[in-house]
Amino acid sequence: MSTPEDLETVRFTRDGPVLVATIDRPDDDLNRVDHAVHRDLTTLFARLRTEREARAVLLTGAGRAFSAGGDFAWFPELQEPGRLEELRLGAKALIWDLLDVPMPIVCALNGHGIGLGASIALLCDAVFMAGSATIADPHVRVGLVAGDGGTVAWPLAIGPMLAKRYLLTGDPVTAADAASLGLVTEAVPDDEVLDRATAFARRLAAGAPLALQGTKQAVNALVRDALSRSFDLATALEIGTFGSEDHAEALAARAEKRPPEFRGQ
């Protein structure tokens, strides 16, 4: 799979049997999610479902972050008629297709994974996290319900109590803490994260494909079951909060560099 011309923010290379997919938004080295990034990630996992040459996928980011959450400059566009429903349908396809990619996906979390970036990383099959990186789902800090799969990925990884500790505050988790909690596979020095993740992807690629893919499918059936109960509810509630006064207040406070004053409206 060569990089298709219609993808602006994801590029592909091959390392033998490992397909390397790199999130690389040209105008933003934090790879914040805007329309183009969201569209390309949705397209990426749909295409990986039909990839048959690679025996493992390595997913990483270029620049200073894996993906540092939503781009606030994009948010006003989401108030246009039909855009939030388009976003909801795209987000659901993205997450379901990610789980349905047959070969193992190893994430090299080269920098911060925030919001959707965190959900994508946590739903991969292994995560090697750079020591200076953090992972967080701060939807609540901008007056939004935690959508994007976070209400499933976090509880499945660390249990409901700890998940709520982070989802209800939006607090970031360091690499060392993430590894200790079992949120990620391993925390490694920044200059080793890509090599360590690549080595693990090559190891999986050398394994018995049918056995690995079947085992992944069986484990992900548990994840899909949890998503079936929670995802549509979480995204519907998230879309509702996009129109809330609290969300508008959060964006205004951010622009004015002051603490928000939430009123529950």
Side-chain angles (χ1 to χ4, degrees):
M1 180 186 292
S2 58
T3 302
E5 293 183 358
D6 60 335
L7 293 185
E8 301 173 14
T9 65
V10 178
R11 52 184 170 83
F12 298 113
T13 56
R14 288 192 183 272
D15 179 2
V18 177
L19 176 62
V20 182
T22 304
I23 305 169
D24 186 7
R25 179 177 163 184
D27 61 340
D28 182 16
D29 67 354
L30 293 176
N31 294 320
R32 284 170 287 206
V33 178
D34 63 357
H35 174 73
V37 173
H38 201 278
R39 177 204 62 212
D40 287 356
L41 289 172
T42 303
T43 302
L44 166 68
F45 295 114
R47 291 182 179 171
L48 288 178
R49 287 183 61 192
T50 63
E51 164 68 24
R52 294 297 179 264
E53 183 178 344
R55 289 174 57 169
V57 175
L58 178 67
L59 179 64
T60 191
R64 294 189 292 137
F66 176 71
S67 178
D71 186 341
F72 289 100
W74 177 44
F75 282 18
E77 297 178 26
L78 298 177
Q79 302 301 326
E80 298 171 3
R83 292 297 296 273
L84 285 173
E85 178 62 9
E86 176 188 350
L87 177 66
R88 184 188 71 83
L89 293 173
K92 184 170 184 177
L94 186 163
I95 296 298
W96 256 251
D97 285 341
L98 165 58
L99 293 175
D100 282 344
V101 174
M103 70 286 289
I105 304 176
V106 178
C107 177
L109 200 69
N110 59 297
H112 302 315
I114 310 296
L116 178 60
S119 295
I120 288 173
L122 295 179
L123 291 172
C124 289
D125 304 303
V127 183
F128 291 80
M129 186 172 176
S132 67
T134 60
I135 190 165
D137 192 325
H139 278 75
V140 296
R141 293 193 175 187
V142 290
L144 297 176
V145 169
D148 299 336
T151 53
V152 170
W154 288 73
L156 284 179
I158 58 177
M161 187 63 68
L162 271 176
K164 285 184 281 188
R165 155 75 175 83
Y166 294 107
L167 292 174
L168 297 181
T169 63
D171 288 348
V173 184
T174 65
D177 285 346
S180 177
L181 292 170
L183 196 59
V184 301
T185 307
E186 191 174 334
V188 298
D190 288 13
D191 59 356
E192 296 179 21
V193 64
L194 190 58
D195 288 343
R196 295 279 282 276
T198 300
F200 193 75
R202 289 172 180 163
R203 178 183 176 187
L204 296 181
L210 296 180
L212 268 68
Q213 292 176 22
T215 300
K216 169 179 174 172
Q217 182 181 12
V219 173
N220 276 2
L222 300 175
V223 183
R224 288 178 62 89
D225 184 55
L227 280 166
S228 294
R229 295 195 303 269
S230 173
F231 187 86
D232 285 341
L233 173 62
T235 52
L237 291 170
E238 179 186 19
I239 285 174
T241 50
F242 264 106
S244 69
E245 292 182 15
D246 280 349
H247 177 54
E249 163 63 11
L251 296 183
R254 182 179 179 85
E256 296 164 12
K257 298 181 179 180
R258 59 172 175 81
E261 296 181 9
F262 296 129
R263 295 188 173 88
Q265 298 176 341

